[in-house]
Amino acid sequence: MSDQHEGHYEAVIGLEVHVQLNTLTKLFAGDSAAFGSAPNTHVSAITLGHPGTLPRMNKEAIVHAIKMGLVCQSEIARYNYFARKNYFYPDLPKGYQISQHTTPICAGGIVRISTSSGVRDIKLTRIHLEEDAGKSMHDQSPELTYLDYNRAGVPLIEIVSEPDMHTAEEAAAYLTKIRQLVRWIGICDGNMEEGSLRCDANISVRPVGEKKLGTRVEVKNLNSIKHLRHAVELEIARLSALSDKGERIVQETRSYDAEREVTFSIRTKEDAEDYRYFPEPDLAPFQFSEEFIQQIKNQLPELPDAKQSRYTEAYSLSEYDAIQLTEDYELNELFEGLAAGTAHRKSLVNFLIGPIRSYLNSQNKPWSSLKISKSQWYGLLDLVAGGQISFSVAAQKLLPELLSNTEIDPVQLATSLNLLQDAGETEIEQWVNEVIMAMPDKVEAYRKGKKGLIGLFVGEVKRISKGKADPKRSTELLNKVLNEKQ
Ligand code: ADP
Ligand code: MG
């Protein structure tokens, strides 16, 4: 890593993130935009760019793009037009890509990230709409490149950040946040393996204190957050070492090889490639009214950051719990649905992000597959809150049954399994006395100040009571007896 350069250089990172919008159809054609179909089955004459065909704009894609802009507090352009970006590439059947040039649909804005150094707002340059290209496949034949045009014309937004990040951790947190947001507002599945979310990282280094940006390299097509983080780390180290040796850095495009743990140059890059942008003549410019934008604003759900503040303030949950609860939209819906009807929210969170999440992960099941009914949930939470059963026994013995049977009543189940900590006061007192008599050395040590021994006594009471003593009650009684004047 770059330890020997630490202190000399500051890294500067800007990310370009492509988000494939999950519309039913393509940006300018009625072909399905779905992923994973047989090659070249969503390829109308428009997608293939046949002469005489005309693009027609997909309103849903525009709504998706505006949603993202609103979420990032960008300025939404009221007047827009598409532009032709001309270049030749086999996966681009028209010989140009319809994109936006001087009028991105969203300008400016921020993405709020949180890292080990705290919370920061990363500035955005723009978010623009464009169509995706097709896919070249080089692994189907030893000599030939195969082409699949299903993806050609699928709507994308490209989110371009300012050169505003300085560590691999920030870059990873930024992409994580974008993935969370696009899923949250339902515009993209955020699946990086399938290419729904793709990232290019631009990295440069400069001496600490220098204001001018250094020459950047761009690492293309990072397809996981882990790869992004690693590629940025590698580039910071490599560029710092080059700068140490006084070597000139050339602006270039690089690729990341996860197996060999290196980045390598694929081409040098001049500043502005000549794409000969001009306004797309087959599509009229378009304008949004205030009402249209307001309507879209009204459709947006409460965002993760706002929910987190609500959970820590109104529900007194920890920041950690609040973050966990907003990681996944379905988990959050489940929590919200239950939290409104119980005061035992902390215990609910413990079940959800503890045993339930482990269970779903191990079964590879989504949150929506959970069948536990509301009354079962509330029964379970009341048992734990009332001290009739411990959290861990409930998680180990009751949950597995509740997960498979929506009819079972938790109280009946706990009774029939003989799990209730239902010993009365006198019984607990007897066990407490028994434990104290059996451990005179420990009792003396406790009375001399080793207060941590209380856990041992409580554990003993639990053991000899065969789980029938509520640990809260036995702790209280133990404390009382042990702290009595001799
Ligand atoms: P291009 O498509 O040519 O890569 P864009 O303007 O779309 O250009 O994206 C450039 C990206 O590179 C932005 O995210 C920007 O913040 C980032 N960037 C520009 N200059 C630097 C630099 N010197 N160091 C790091 N990142 C940079
Ligand atoms: Mg770029």
Side-chain angles (χ1 to χ4, degrees):
M1 266 292 304
S2 60
D3 287 2
Q4 73 263 40
H5 318 288
E6 227 174 324
H8 295 353
Y9 299 108
E10 175 187 52
V12 177
I13 305 152
L15 299 185
E16 294 160 78
V17 180
H18 284 97
V19 178
Q20 224 176 54
L21 302 177
N22 59 5
T23 53
L24 285 176
T25 57
K26 294 187 179 179
L27 186 51
F28 303 115
D31 300 321
S32 162
F35 175 85
S37 307
N40 297 308
T41 49
H42 307 157
V43 288
S44 63
I46 300 180
T47 290
L48 295 177
H50 286 194
T53 55
L54 288 174
R56 195 181 60 229
M57 209 159 61
N58 180 341
K59 187 170 163 192
E60 197 191 356
I62 289 179
V63 171
H64 279 10
I66 294 176
K67 278 189 178 166
M68 192 61 188
L70 291 171
V71 162
C72 298
Q73 301 170 43
S74 309
E75 188 65 39
I76 311 297
R78 300 302 194 260
Y79 175 86
N80 286 268
Y81 73 92
F82 281 104
R84 271 192 196 181
K85 182 178 181 181
N86 297 280
Y87 63 96
F88 172 78
Y89 209 74
D91 59 22
L92 190 74
K94 297 197 292 282
Y96 58 85
Q97 179 189 23
I98 305 182
S99 181
Q100 291 191 297
H101 188 217
T102 57
T103 59
I105 189 161
C106 316
I110 52 138
V111 170
R112 178 160 294 177
I113 62 165
S114 92
T115 64
S116 53
S117 6
V119 172
R120 259 196 79 205
D121 289 340
I122 305 302
K123 291 192 202 72
L124 298 185
T125 312
R126 58 192 268 157
I127 302 176
H128 67 258
L129 258 171
E130 63 186 23
E131 54 178 348
D132 209 344
K135 203 170 183 176
S136 304
M137 291 180 284
H138 307 288
D139 54 0
Q140 309 286 308
S141 139
E143 302 87 34
L144 302 172
T145 291
Y146 283 31
L147 287 161
D148 176 4
Y149 289 121
N150 281 351
R151 200 177 70 181
V154 167
L156 295 177
I157 48 173
E158 180 174 342
I159 305 173
V160 183
S161 86
E162 288 286 289
D164 195 22
M165 288 166 265
H166 301 289
T167 62
E169 188 195 1
E170 285 190 341
Y174 172 86
L175 187 56
T176 306
K177 187 61 177 279
I178 288 189
R179 188 178 59 178
Q180 180 195 34
L181 288 172
V182 297
R183 285 178 171 162
W184 198 266
I185 61 174
I187 64 170
C188 168
D189 62 22
N191 190 331
M192 295 195 71
E193 298 93 76
E194 290 179 0
S196 316
L197 197 67
R198 312 194 284 269
C199 178
D200 304 337
N202 297 269
I203 304 132
S204 62
V205 297
R206 61 184 172 192
V208 167
E210 171 67 63
K211 288 278 169 284
K212 227 174 87 217
L213 290 172
T215 304
R216 69 168 155 139
V217 295
E218 177 174 16
V219 187
K220 282 273 186 201
N221 286 326
L222 295 160
N223 62 3
S224 77
I225 289 166
K226 195 168 135 212
H227 289 175
L228 164 66
R229 182 190 274 259
H230 192 204
V232 170
E233 277 169 0
L234 289 171
E235 275 320 283
I236 294 175
R238 197 183 63 84
L239 295 173
S240 304
L242 283 177
S243 303
D244 264 352
K245 283 191 263 169
E247 285 186 34
R248 202 174 72 90
I249 290 163
V250 280
Q251 185 167 335
E252 61 183 352
T253 303
R254 300 178 73 86
S255 192
Y256 167 71
D257 183 331
E259 241 156 71
R260 294 193 298 132
E261 308 206 350
V262 292
T263 68
F264 57 92
S265 179
I266 42 182
R267 58 177 179 267
T268 57
K269 176 168 176 166
E270 296 310 321
D271 236 343
E273 286 163 70
D274 188 5
Y275 291 119
R276 284 189 52 260
Y277 279 102
F278 60 83
E280 168 59 55
D282 291 338
L283 287 162
F286 52 106
Q287 237 167 325
F288 306 131
S289 66
E290 297 307 315
E291 294 76 31
F292 180 65
I293 291 174
Q294 190 57 46
Q295 270 170 20
I296 298 172
K297 219 180 234 171
N298 296 343
Q299 290 168 25
L300 285 173
E302 186 185 12
L303 295 178
D305 288 353
K307 287 207 185 220
Q308 283 169 22
S309 314
R310 188 157 60 78
Y311 295 162
T312 51
E313 283 154 29
Y315 289 177
S316 307
L317 293 174
S318 69
E319 200 162 314
Y320 175 82
D321 286 344
I323 291 171
Q324 303 300 308
L325 288 172
T326 49
E327 236 181 19
D328 182 289
Y329 192 79
E330 283 185 6
L331 159 63
N332 189 259
E333 281 200 311
L334 178 65
F335 171 74
E336 291 269 335
L338 293 165
T342 177
H344 314 310
R345 296 189 186 104
K346 175 59 188 154
S347 176
L348 171 60
V349 179
N350 291 346
F351 277 113
L352 289 173
I353 68 181
I356 302 240
R357 183 158 66 187
S358 312
Y359 162 81
L360 292 174
N361 284 345
S362 70
Q363 305 282 310
N364 210 1
K365 284 185 176 165
W367 284 97
S368 56
S369 69
L370 272 191
K371 296 282 178 285
I372 302 177
S373 70
K374 260 195 181 163
S375 69
Q376 285 181 314
W377 267 115
Y378 294 145
L380 179 70
L381 294 172
D382 286 344
L383 278 177
V384 175
Q388 287 160 280
I389 192 165
S390 73
F391 176 83
S392 58
V393 171
Q396 284 161 24
K397 302 273 162 63
L398 297 187
L399 263 188
E401 302 286 327
L402 297 177
L403 284 167
S404 56
N405 189 334
T406 51
E407 301 300 315
I408 299 183
D409 168 52
V411 178
Q412 276 171 14
L413 178 65
T415 313
S416 69
L417 294 174
N418 196 23
L419 296 174
L420 291 181
Q421 300 168 153
D422 53 2
E425 198 76 359
T426 30
E427 273 174 297
I428 300 181
E429 252 170 44
Q430 273 168 16
W431 289 317
V432 163
N433 286 329
E434 228 173 280
V435 166
I436 286 175
M437 301 283 277
M439 307 176 117
D441 301 353
K442 297 277 190 277
V443 170
E444 200 186 325
Y446 175 91
R447 287 185 167 140
K448 284 191 177 142
K450 269 190 101 177
K451 299 294 178 203
L453 284 169
I454 190 74
L456 175 83
F457 300 132
V458 177
E460 274 303 292
V461 174
K462 186 174 171 195
R463 192 178 62 77
I464 62 173
S465 76
K466 300 199 173 60
K468 293 273 141 193
D470 170 9
K472 208 166 137 237
R473 279 308 293 143
S474 33
T475 309
E476 282 162 10
L477 283 172
L478 277 162
N479 271 325
K480 194 168 142 244
V481 179
L482 288 165
N483 294 322
E484 264 167 8
K485 286 245 158 10
Q486 300 304 297

